[in-house]
Amino acid sequence: IQSLYPSTGMQRGMLFHGLLDSEAYISQVYPVLSGVLDLPLLAEAWQRVVNRHSIFRTIFVGDGEQQHQLVLSRATLVCHQEDWRKLPAAEQRRKFEQYRLADKAKGFDVGAAPLMRLSLFRLANDRTRMLWSYHHCLLDGWSVPLVYRDVMLIYAELAQGRPADLSPAPEYERYMKWLMAQDREEAKTWWKSYLEPMESVTPLPFDRPEGN
């Protein structure tokens, strides 16, 4: 065990909905990667990202307000690989969509790290479909490109036989310490004052009548 601290309100809400629907807040990224790739090396790059960022070695223990994030010192990312180079393109698409939906339906055991899965499908000698499934309670949309950047940088260094020389990763625990130090009543008072002038609901794009 490396660290232990409370889960955030947002995380508790996501995990609660996950109890009602195993697919709730399961996010998936599935690009087609071009170029000749060393798949075992790509899997190693992902494992190093798990080692680098504590959030990917985090599990959730306890319930309700007592729920905590427990960071493990290590977690092994299992990488599923299949070779589909002999299949027609239409069959590749059909099999991938079938696999993707089944993978999402699995959900995650929040007591086992990492709360993410990686699958690689060789479509051609120079084309690979990657499926990265992860629980949204680990990271938001802004963080996804940063994780993907780390993977590609580490892979490039490994492919050239050099150690990946990345700047130190931001400490998630530092954010948690800041968050726990905030005065919740003071924050509620500030937001109430800030939103008090609002007299109507803010219209969102999907609220507009069709054709407008």
Side-chain angles (χ1 to χ4, degrees):
I1 297 175
Q2 181 175 311
S3 302
L4 179 69
Y5 32 80
S7 57
T8 68
M10 183 72 75
Q11 288 172 326
R12 290 195 296 273
M14 289 181 179
L15 295 174
F16 173 77
H17 283 288
L19 296 175
L20 306 176
D21 178 3
S22 63
E23 296 187 33
Y25 296 106
I26 305 301
S27 300
Q28 294 180 307
V29 178
Y30 39 98
V32 173
L33 307 176
S34 299
V36 179
L37 296 175
D38 183 324
L39 299 193
L41 213 58
L42 181 58
E44 172 63 19
W46 274 98
Q47 178 61 56
R48 296 200 182 196
V49 166
V50 171
N51 300 343
R52 171 175 166 79
H53 295 286
S54 62
I55 191 63
F56 293 134
R57 290 178 279 106
T58 295
I59 63 174
F60 294 85
V61 296
D63 298 304
E65 292 292 327
Q66 299 304 312
Q67 188 179 73
H68 280 66
Q69 303 178 71
L70 191 156
V71 182
L72 305 177
S73 57
R74 63 178 65 85
T76 301
L77 175 65
V78 176
C79 177
H80 177 78
Q81 299 184 36
E82 293 190 33
D83 190 341
W84 291 351
R85 284 177 288 186
K86 294 182 179 180
L87 299 178
E91 180 66 5
Q92 290 177 347
R93 290 192 293 270
R94 186 194 68 79
K95 284 178 66 69
F96 176 77
E97 187 63 9
Q98 183 181 51
Y99 183 94
R100 184 188 70 79
L101 292 175
D103 184 80
K104 186 170 186 177
K106 289 179 185 177
F108 286 100
D109 174 3
V110 300
L115 299 183
M116 57 186 279
R117 287 187 290 269
L118 181 69
S119 300
L120 300 171
F121 305 92
R122 184 81 80 178
L123 306 180
N125 291 338
D126 59 351
R127 293 174 65 247
T128 301
R129 169 82 79 171
M130 181 181 77
L131 174 62
W132 173 30
S133 300
Y134 63 92
H135 203 296
H136 193 32
C137 68
L138 300 184
L139 69 165
D140 58 15
W142 292 99
S143 303
V144 170
L146 302 180
V147 173
Y148 191 68
R149 177 204 62 191
D150 280 3
V151 171
M152 293 297 104
L153 288 174
I154 293 172
Y155 174 82
E157 293 295 304
L158 291 175
Q160 297 178 48
R162 298 200 303 258
D165 185 20
L166 301 182
S167 58
E171 294 184 13
Y172 179 68
E173 187 172 353
R174 180 179 177 185
Y175 163 71
M176 287 305 307
K177 289 179 178 178
W178 172 85
L179 186 63
M180 290 187 289
Q182 303 309 301
D183 187 319
R184 297 180 65 177
E185 290 303 316
E186 182 179 336
K188 286 169 65 176
T189 300
W190 186 90
W191 279 107
K192 183 177 180 180
S193 173
Y194 181 78
L195 297 173
E196 193 170 21
M198 302 295 295
E199 297 180 352
S200 62
V201 176
T202 301
L204 299 175
F206 48 79
D207 289 332
R208 295 173 183 168
E210 198 171 320
N212 290 354

